[in-house]
């Protein structure tokens, strides 16, 4: 590492060669230096996904157990596709398991989904 890169790091800045977690999250096939940064991206991806699914389910209008089960299936499937096909990450190489990937951020995503689903459903369809 050059002295310029060390100086930038000591000031809390990164060089243009190093990508932020956000840049890696939108770049297909990015490399991940550690498991924590990858799972942080998965966590925030699921929060956005929970909000998006809640809005769609509220507009459709989907109700009851079908909505809850549909959320779990769609959320898990899209998260797996995002991690394995778009980011091209082998979870086992990071020292983790697929079940850990599926658990990361699920409950907070579920909470955001419920709030957005209920809000949009009531705002559009409640008379």
């Amino acid at each position: 590492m050059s002295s310029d890169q060390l100086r930038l790091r000591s000031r809390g800045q990164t060089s243009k060669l190093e990508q932020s977690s956000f840049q890696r999250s939108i770049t297909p096939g990015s490399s991940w230096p550690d498991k924590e940064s990858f799972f942080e991206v998965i966590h925030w991806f699921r929060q956005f996904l929970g909000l998006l699914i809640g809005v769609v389910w509220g507009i459709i209008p989907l109700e009851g157990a079908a909505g809850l089960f549909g959320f779990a299936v769609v959320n898990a499937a899209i998260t797996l596709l995002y991690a394995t096909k778009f980011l091209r990450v082998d979870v086992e190489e990071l020292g983790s398991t697929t079940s850990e990937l599926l658990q990361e951020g699920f409950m907070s995503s579920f909470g955001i989904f419920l709030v957005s689903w209920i809000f949009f459903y009531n705002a559009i369809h409640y008379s």
Side-chain angles (χ1 to χ4, degrees), residues 63-98:
E63 297 179 350
L68 295 173
F69 182 71
F71 165 76
V73 170
V74 169
N75 191 306
I78 291 177
T79 301
L80 277 174
L81 287 173
Y82 173 70
T84 59
K85 300 297 181 192
F86 182 77
L87 296 178
R88 296 182 209 124
V89 171
D90 184 10
V91 180
E92 283 78 27
E93 281 184 14
L94 287 175
S96 185
T97 62
T98 303

Side-chain angles (χ1 to χ4, degrees), residues 1-18:
M1 185 176 296
S2 71
S3 62
D4 291 336
Q5 287 176 325
L6 288 173
R7 192 169 47 252
L8 289 172
R9 278 199 172 177
S10 66
R11 289 190 235 150
Q13 301 172 346
T14 58
S15 69
K16 291 182 180 180
L17 297 176
E18 295 179 28

Side-chain angles (χ1 to χ4, degrees), residues 29-105:
S30 295
S31 63
W32 294 91
D34 58 7
K35 177 170 123 174
E36 289 79 24
S37 63
F38 172 69
F39 279 114
E40 181 181 335
V41 166
I42 293 298
H43 174 85
W44 288 109
F45 174 76
R46 286 190 109 156
Q47 306 322 300
F48 173 74
L49 190 59
L51 178 66
L52 182 66
I53 295 170
V55 170
V56 172
W57 268 216
I59 292 171
I60 287 179
L62 201 54
E63 297 179 350
L68 295 173
F69 182 71
F71 165 76
V73 170
V74 169
N75 191 306
I78 291 177
T79 301
L80 277 174
L81 287 173
Y82 173 70
T84 59
K85 300 297 181 192
F86 182 77
L87 296 178
R88 296 182 209 124
V89 171
D90 184 10
V91 180
E92 283 78 27
E93 281 184 14
L94 287 175
S96 185
T97 62
T98 303
S99 65
E100 190 177 354
L101 173 69
L102 291 175
Q103 292 172 8
E104 183 65 35

